């Protein structure tokens, strides 16, 4: 089943307001035919970036959400609020798991809330270097997927985007080898097929994240199972982000 490549920029805790607007405007002006683009700016810049993207095909996403629709949760942002602006929300990024202590249960609850709000969750999964070297990467990623997606309806599973981001490649400049990314994406499809009926494994988008650059994007995206990329540092410059998008077609 053909899947249009999807390239998502995760700006993390970078950019000022004017910089964010300039970056979004440049990305919108450089729309790449045959590729879906989306950007995930910091929370304070969601509104100005949304304004900058009006009239373009570039999607908007948030980097995180809370588990509840509303309530006394100082400092948190509910998916219901985000749904007024955003299409996507990143859930379970490795930096939140590793630095902020989010466990699988928290990720599952956030995913549930995001789906209920009508957002498209970008569910991040991935192993650390010790897990990979011990030969447990596939089992570890499979357990993350099952924790987040088991007991859900087939329709809800198919609404998710999966981002495979090996922790050892995040922000290190060391990307997974294309064969490794393709192999893991294939394993992820097999797990998804077991969690949801029909051809769910073929319908769901799988992105690769981890030191993606214009130099390695074409090789990483060349396989049949990697549908796009969750781009970190290289998404902070419009030309490099658009070059990655161009490599997807």
């Amino acid at each position: 089943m053909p899947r249009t490549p999807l390239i998502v920029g995760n700006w993390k805790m970078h950019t000022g307001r004017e910089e964010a607007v300039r970056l979004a405007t440049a990305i919108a002006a450089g729309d790449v035919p045959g590729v879906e683009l989306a950007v995930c700016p910091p929370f304070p810049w969601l509104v100005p970036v949304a304004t900058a993207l009006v009239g373009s095909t570039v999607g908007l996403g948030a980097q995180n959400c809370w588990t509840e629709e509303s309530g006394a949760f100082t400092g948190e942002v509910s998916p219901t609020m985000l749904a007024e602006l955003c299409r996507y929300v990143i859930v379970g990024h490795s930096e939140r798991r590793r630095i902020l202590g989010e466990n699988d249960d928290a990720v599952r609850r956030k995913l549930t809330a995001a789906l209920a709000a009508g957002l498209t969750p970008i569910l991040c999964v991935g192993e650390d270097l010790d897990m990979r070297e011990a030969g447990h990467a596939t089992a570890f990623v499979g357990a993350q997927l099952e924790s987040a997606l088991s007991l859900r309806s087939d329709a809800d599973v198919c609404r998710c985007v999966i981002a495979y981001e090996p922790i050892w490649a995040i922000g290190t400049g060391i990307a997974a080898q294309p064969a490794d990314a393709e192999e893991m994406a294939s394993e992820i499809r097999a797990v998804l097929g077991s969690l949801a009926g029909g051809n769910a494994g073929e319908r769901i988008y799988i992105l690769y994240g981890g030191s993606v650059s214009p130099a390695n994007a074409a090789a990483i995206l060349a396989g049949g199972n990697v549908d796009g990329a969750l781009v970190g540092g290289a998404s902070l410059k419009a030309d490099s982000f658009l070059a990655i998008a161009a490599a997807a077609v």
Side-chain angles (χ1 to χ4, degrees):
M1 175 179 293
R3 295 178 296 271
T4 302
L6 172 62
I7 308 296
V8 181
N10 176 15
W11 297 358
K12 304 189 180 183
M13 200 173 70
H14 296 291
T15 70
R17 180 188 178 107
E18 291 185 2
E19 182 185 1
V21 170
R22 286 197 302 270
L23 179 55
T25 301
I27 289 171
D31 191 23
V32 180
V35 179
E36 288 188 48
L37 301 177
V39 295
C40 299
F43 279 138
W45 313 146
L46 282 173
V47 171
V49 168
T51 300
L53 295 177
V54 169
S56 80
T57 60
V58 180
L60 183 63
Q63 298 176 18
N64 182 42
C65 69
W66 185 235
T67 60
E68 305 295 333
E69 182 177 345
S70 63
F73 303 105
T74 301
E76 294 296 341
V77 179
S78 86
T80 305
M81 297 171 181
L82 295 175
E84 296 193 27
L85 291 170
C86 299
R87 175 179 176 184
Y88 300 99
V89 61
I90 299 172
V91 176
H93 191 280
S94 64
E95 289 162 354
R96 295 200 61 86
R97 293 180 190 256
R98 176 172 51 87
I99 300 171
L100 299 171
E102 288 190 4
N103 59 22
D104 284 346
D105 181 64
V107 172
R108 178 187 57 77
R109 292 169 61 207
K110 288 185 176 188
L111 188 80
T112 298
L115 288 167
L119 291 163
T120 297
I122 300 175
L123 171 64
C124 297
V125 296
E127 79 285 357
D128 62 22
L129 187 58
D130 289 344
M131 195 70 64
R132 171 161 283 274
E133 290 181 341
H136 302 317
T138 299
F140 183 80
V141 169
Q144 287 182 318
L145 290 166
E146 290 179 7
S147 173
L149 299 175
S150 62
L151 304 180
R152 298 190 189 276
S153 69
D154 294 355
D156 275 354
V157 173
C158 290
R159 285 174 54 200
C160 298
V161 172
I162 309 300
Y164 168 58
E165 42 159 31
I167 296 171
W168 46 269
I170 305 298
T172 64
I174 304 172
Q177 292 298 310
D180 294 332
E182 176 66 14
E183 180 182 10
M184 184 61 80
S186 177
E187 295 288 348
I188 289 171
R189 282 203 196 284
V191 174
L192 295 172
S194 70
L195 291 173
N199 59 350
E202 296 302 315
R203 294 165 57 192
I204 298 172
Y205 280 68
I206 299 175
L207 313 182
Y208 169 79
S211 298
V212 181
S213 70
N216 62 27
I220 290 172
L221 299 171
N225 285 298
V226 179
D227 304 311
L230 180 60
V231 186
S235 70
L236 296 174
K237 294 184 177 179
D239 56 353
S240 62
F241 183 66
L242 293 169
I244 291 170
V249 293

